[in-house]
Amino acid sequence: MPAIDAEEFRTTKTMRPPEQTIWIDLDNSPHVPFFRPIIEELEKKGYKVLVTARDAYQVRELLSFYGVSGKMVGKHHGRNKILKGLGTCWRALELSAVVRKEKPALSVSHGSRGCLLTSALLGIPNVMLTDYEFVAKVPTIRPAWIMVPSVVPDENLSLHGSRVLKYPGIKEDVYLSRFRPDQQLRKRLGISPNDVLITVRPPATEAHYHNPEAEKLLTEALNLFLRNPEARILLLPRNKRQETELRSAWSDGLASGKLLIPDHVEDGLNLIWNSDLVISGGGTMNREAAAMGVPVYSIFRGKIGAVDRYLAQEGCLVMVETIEDVRTKIKAVRRPISAQRSTGRNVGALETIVDNIVHILEAQIPGAA
């Protein structure tokens, strides 16, 4: 189904009865900063927002860090595809028990399969946002609405039966509009102003889209930086299991102080803003860096989505595909922080997403249009 004209859609006259509830489910760490301003804007408009969250990666810690109130439901079930599928179904049952009591008029998530399945079970209209068109889907179940960045072509969206809306810019623009730089972060972490600070996010080894080639690129990059006398490496594991593995594999670098793993959750945006370059095996941190004007190199080796291709074409993101690319493409040099942006590229992303959600909800009221 072709994308709907967003301006025409949002300006249709609607009416809203009081005390409607919108359910938002957070099942991965990037969803916490992304949905925080969306939740705030919806609450300002008078809606009640029910927040659930999966206890996976660093979601629990980030909820506390960002001051977002939510009920933890379910957990991560590892790399095994069968266990992942069973875990999604079990979480959907757990979510159903929590959500049914609140009777939400609409559910919203950023690709949460548990939310999609629960919405289908309870008959709740679902809005699914996504910025990676190759994410695994729930067989036979489709969201009522799908919302994507405008750079994602219609032909890449294989969700037949879903109505499509788009928003300007990229997902990271939504929360970068509220970012405030921390000028003291380097000092707090014991990193000299003269050090070349390299922030590294390992690949998501438990994700369905993981390609082991990315781990080889990570190893080559870390070895390269450890030989650089000016470099300090800030390594950001995705969960405790990965942290344990990395601490074992890179114990010498950690002992020397060349490599640092923070002992508590830090604001990822400030880590990026204070870095000279970023390398990541996933999507969100790459796009955050690109939106802030920080040099960024992607070692992601899954199928490349439209957003990353767009950023690469714009010169905001460098794709690293081979060992030779690690050695020749990555430039580990100091960069004046004053040359970096502290906001996103498109300030209209948040407003458009919130307006679309509100209109979707209000358009369901009989006789309101």
Side-chain angles (χ1 to χ4, degrees):
M1 182 176 291
I4 298 169
D5 183 89
E7 185 61 29
E8 179 182 350
F9 176 76
R10 293 195 306 274
T11 54
T12 302
K13 185 178 180 181
T14 60
M15 299 168 58
R16 174 171 63 89
E19 299 183 354
Q20 287 183 301
T21 298
I22 300 172
W23 168 35
I24 293 178
D25 185 48
L26 316 174
D27 79 340
N28 203 347
S29 50
H31 303 163
V32 182
F34 172 72
F35 274 109
R36 181 178 64 153
I38 294 172
I39 292 167
E40 291 175 356
E41 290 301 315
L42 290 172
E43 290 178 336
K44 286 179 184 177
K45 292 178 180 292
Y47 294 96
K48 178 182 177 182
V49 181
L50 167 67
V51 178
T52 56
R54 184 173 61 141
D55 194 2
Y57 301 108
Q58 296 172 314
V59 171
R60 182 186 291 272
E61 294 86 349
L62 288 168
L63 286 172
S64 176
F65 183 87
Y66 285 110
V68 177
S69 297
K71 182 174 180 59
M72 304 303 301
V73 181
K75 62 181 182 178
H76 197 281
H77 290 271
R79 308 180 187 188
N80 185 279
K81 291 183 179 180
I82 295 176
L83 291 179
K84 280 178 179 288
L86 293 174
T88 297
C89 294
W90 181 251
R91 182 168 187 259
L93 294 175
E94 292 181 298
L95 285 169
S96 297
V98 173
V99 173
R100 183 184 289 112
K101 302 173 184 178
E102 301 292 336
K103 296 181 172 59
L106 190 71
S107 66
V108 184
S109 75
H110 202 283
S112 168
R113 291 178 283 278
C115 177
L116 180 61
L117 184 53
T118 302
S119 299
L121 290 171
L122 299 182
I124 304 169
N126 176 255
V127 180
M128 179 176 286
L129 293 100
T130 183
D131 61 348
Y132 182 59
E133 61 270 37
F134 304 120
V135 70
K137 302 172 178 66
V138 178
T140 75
I141 299 177
R142 300 289 183 267
W145 295 88
I146 180 170
M147 202 183 316
V148 298
S150 57
V151 299
V152 178
D154 292 350
E155 57 268 23
N156 285 18
L157 301 172
S158 58
L159 293 175
H160 301 295
S162 301
R163 287 165 285 183
V164 179
L165 283 170
K166 296 189 176 184
Y167 61 89
I170 59 178
K171 171 179 108 263
E172 290 68 25
D173 291 327
V174 170
Y175 50 99
L176 276 171
S177 62
R178 301 188 177 194
F179 170 66
R180 297 294 178 269
D182 179 0
Q183 306 279 358
Q184 301 302 312
L185 184 140
R186 277 192 176 226
K187 182 178 180 180
R188 190 170 69 250
L189 293 178
I191 297 170
S192 165
N194 298 320
D195 288 336
V196 177
L197 179 56
I198 305 167
T199 293
V200 179
R201 182 74 156 171
T205 54
E206 296 177 350
H208 67 88
Y209 50 73
H210 175 60
N211 183 335
E213 289 181 16
E215 294 174 75
K216 298 177 183 178
L217 299 179
L218 173 68
T219 298
E220 181 67 22
L222 290 177
N223 280 324
L224 178 67
F225 301 143
L226 286 170
R227 294 193 297 268
N228 184 335
E230 298 180 344
R232 292 289 300 280
I233 308 160
L234 194 61
L235 190 57
L236 306 177
R238 293 173 178 270
N239 54 36
K240 287 296 183 182
R241 180 184 300 175
Q242 189 176 66
E243 179 178 342
T244 300
E245 294 172 352
L246 290 170
R247 286 189 180 277
S248 175
W250 300 97
S251 57
D252 289 346
L254 289 163
S256 71
K258 288 279 293 178
L259 193 152
L260 172 67
I261 296 178
D263 57 9
H264 61 276
V265 171
E266 289 279 357
D267 181 4
L269 296 179
N270 266 301
L271 293 177
I272 293 170
W273 192 82
N274 280 276
S275 297
D276 294 297
L277 64 149
V278 170
I279 297 176
S280 176
T284 296
M285 182 161 280
N286 284 337
R287 293 189 287 271
E288 287 172 341
M292 298 170 78
V294 179
V296 55
Y297 302 86
S298 175
I299 57 172
F300 177 71
R301 296 302 295 129
K303 294 183 72 173
I304 306 301
V307 172
D308 283 0
R309 288 198 302 272
Y310 161 75
L311 292 173
Q313 291 166 2
E314 292 284 304
C316 303
L317 172 67
V318 177
M319 308 301 281
V320 176
E321 300 176 339
T322 65
I323 297 296
E324 185 61 23
D325 284 348
V326 172
R327 298 168 180 168
T328 59
K329 287 187 176 182
I330 299 176
K331 309 299 180 184
V333 296
R334 285 285 290 124
R335 173 179 169 82
I337 290 180
S338 59
Q340 299 167 188
R341 289 187 293 272
S342 60
T343 60
R345 297 156 57 90
N346 195 309
V347 295
L350 173 59
E351 180 182 4
T352 301
I353 289 173
V354 171
D355 285 351
N356 283 344
I357 291 172
V358 168
H359 193 99
I360 289 169
L361 180 60
E362 296 180 354
Q364 299 177 77
I365 304 167

